[in-house]
Amino acid sequence: MYTQSFSVPDNAGQKNVAAVPSTENPELMAAFDARIDADGRIEPQDWMPDAYRKTLVRQISQHAHSEIVGMLPEGNWISRAPSLKRKAILIAKVQDEGGHGLYLYSAAETLGTSRDQMLEGLHSGKAKYSSIFNYPTLNWADVGVIGWLVDGAAIMNQIPLCRCSYGPYSRAMVRVCKEESFHQRQGYEALLVMMQGTEAQRAMVQDAVNRLWWKCLAMFGPPDADSPNSAQGMRWGIKRISNDELRQKFVDATVPQAKVLGVTLPDPDLKWNEARQHYDYGQIDWQEFWNTVEGNGPCNKERLATRVKAHNDGQWVRDAALAYTRKQQQRAQKEAA
Ligand SMILES: [Fe+2]
Ligand SMILES: [Fe+2]
């Protein structure tokens, strides 16, 4: 439902930021800048400035890890889904998230960063992922709200990335966004069913919305005034729409959906502003956001420990796959000799 109301003009927000002076080869730099200005794509074999490569690796790393860690809060509910239908949907969704992580790790590999390096960053706590996944999923309605709001916010963030200047990242996003759209709809539909159920079910939905709403608004990142990297990201065509603009679009799209659902969004300051033609909303608790990003949210340690354990438990699979490949290669060599 977001994708239909969402179109990005070519070069939106790009041209108004001056190019950063560079110490790189001026000819190569000029060719790179010209390609970016013409809204062309940069491919893995193309020359690119180091800072562009680093920015992309950092962003793709955070994105990939968010997909993978994002499997955990919902995976927690697979064995307790209320029906076979909901279980099948949830398994498919969680599996999709794993696939998204894998596309993104592959995209980072095209920039010269290996999967092992990325995983080392995640497992050591150096690399970041979306702070929303450091909160617990306390009741079944959390699964629906994650689909509706968390995947909904992810779609808002990711649709503009389909036009990111780095080819492999932009192409990965096309499929990811289609799958996210399914995630968002399944969550909203599950909540609609619950809201037509018992009083206790409606209370569960409202409770989940109360706990997750503000965290979803924080998913778009710090306010534009506090995002020093955003202007450069815009200049490079990596970022197309600012954090605050995306957040506003999300609020504007979500308020009518909440009305249809019959839930209250937990913000007394949320109201339509006729002059702005947007909804105004209250203050996000950035202190809490940074605290969670720094590793002190309610589930940071648990999430990381679960990831590291899963990786270590899978070591024998990787060892077996490598041993099998070696055996195949030896056999092929023998046959060729
Ligand atoms: Fe995803
Ligand atoms: Fe998703």
Side-chain angles (χ1 to χ4, degrees):
M1 69 183 66
Y2 291 111
T3 48
Q4 288 152 14
S5 62
F6 204 88
S7 67
V8 187
D10 274 3
N11 293 326
Q14 253 190 310
K15 299 281 169 96
N16 49 2
V17 181
V20 172
S22 170
T23 53
E24 313 254 14
N25 178 323
E27 266 171 48
L28 292 171
M29 194 68 207
F32 172 85
D33 282 338
R35 175 97 55 100
I36 295 281
D37 287 343
D39 205 20
R41 293 286 173 272
I42 307 297
E43 296 298 336
Q45 66 277 14
D46 295 334
W47 182 89
M48 63 188 87
D50 269 353
Y52 176 83
R53 189 185 299 272
K54 272 192 197 134
T55 301
L56 274 169
V57 168
R58 195 185 56 222
Q59 181 169 335
I60 294 173
S61 145
Q62 282 184 14
H63 192 166
H65 297 328
S66 301
E67 301 282 358
I68 297 297
V69 178
M71 296 167 78
L72 301 176
E74 288 182 288
N76 188 33
W77 280 91
I78 289 174
S79 61
R80 290 176 287 160
S83 69
L84 184 59
K85 175 182 147 184
R86 294 292 171 202
K87 188 195 283 259
I89 292 172
L90 185 56
I91 289 172
K93 187 218 188 252
V94 171
Q95 219 163 27
D96 283 354
E97 307 297 9
H100 298 170
L102 298 186
Y103 303 152
L104 289 162
Y105 287 136
S106 299
E109 279 177 334
T110 68
L111 291 160
T113 302
S114 71
R115 174 110 41 117
D116 284 346
Q117 284 173 294
M118 304 264 288
L119 289 180
E120 208 283 312
L122 175 65
H123 296 162
S124 66
K126 268 184 279 170
K128 301 294 178 208
Y129 56 85
S130 183
S131 60
I132 188 86
F133 301 120
N134 287 315
Y135 293 92
T137 40
L138 301 180
N139 72 48
W140 169 251
D142 286 34
V143 170
V145 171
I146 286 175
W148 174 37
L149 297 180
V150 176
D151 290 278
I155 294 171
M156 266 308 165
N157 261 323
Q158 288 168 191
I159 290 280
L161 289 174
C162 295
R163 295 178 54 259
C164 160
S165 61
Y166 188 57
Y169 193 24
S170 70
R171 289 188 289 273
M173 279 306 107
V174 174
R175 175 162 171 182
V176 166
C177 283
K178 285 181 183 162
E179 292 178 350
E180 295 300 357
S181 181
F182 153 67
H183 299 171
Q184 200 265 356
R185 283 155 198 245
Q186 66 81 32
Y188 194 69
E189 193 266 343
L191 296 177
L192 272 176
V193 170
M194 287 184 83
M195 291 303 286
Q196 286 153 18
T198 64
E199 198 47 56
Q201 285 176 304
R202 279 191 287 278
M204 277 165 78
V205 176
Q206 186 61 58
D207 172 56
V209 169
N210 291 348
R211 281 181 288 107
L212 290 165
W213 170 249
W214 288 103
K215 276 99 188 155
C216 290
L217 292 194
M219 279 176 73
F220 295 94
D224 295 348
D226 304 332
S227 310
N229 296 328
S230 279
Q232 184 62 75
M234 293 253 189
R235 162 74 199 142
W236 279 332
I238 296 173
K239 196 168 174 59
R240 301 274 179 178
I241 304 180
S242 80
N243 295 354
D244 286 333
E245 276 180 86
L246 286 168
R247 191 164 14 245
Q248 183 70 63
K249 279 173 183 290
F250 176 74
V251 171
D252 291 347
T254 307
V255 171
Q257 294 167 8
K259 275 190 194 133
V260 171
L261 204 53
V263 294
T264 307
L265 297 172
D267 178 0
D269 297 324
L270 187 69
K271 58 176 178 300
W272 179 251
N273 182 324
E274 192 58 35
R276 288 203 312 125
Q277 289 290 299
H278 289 295
Y279 283 94
D280 290 337
Y281 54 91
Q283 280 296 318
I284 296 167
D285 185 349
W286 292 110
Q287 186 67 43
E288 190 205 347
F289 171 80
W290 287 116
N291 192 39
T292 307
V293 171
E294 298 304 328
N296 304 314
C299 299
N300 292 59
K301 289 182 183 65
E302 181 191 331
R303 298 289 185 240
L304 214 52
T306 308
R307 254 334 302 158
V308 170
K309 181 177 185 304
H311 186 74
N312 292 342
D313 287 353
Q315 185 61 45
W316 70 272
V317 180
R318 293 188 293 279
D319 290 344
L322 282 173
Y324 179 75
T325 307
R326 264 195 299 271
K327 218 159 128 186
Q328 294 287 96
Q329 280 168 349
Q330 279 164 3
R331 189 173 297 161
Q333 274 166 3
K334 236 182 237 169
E335 277 166 17

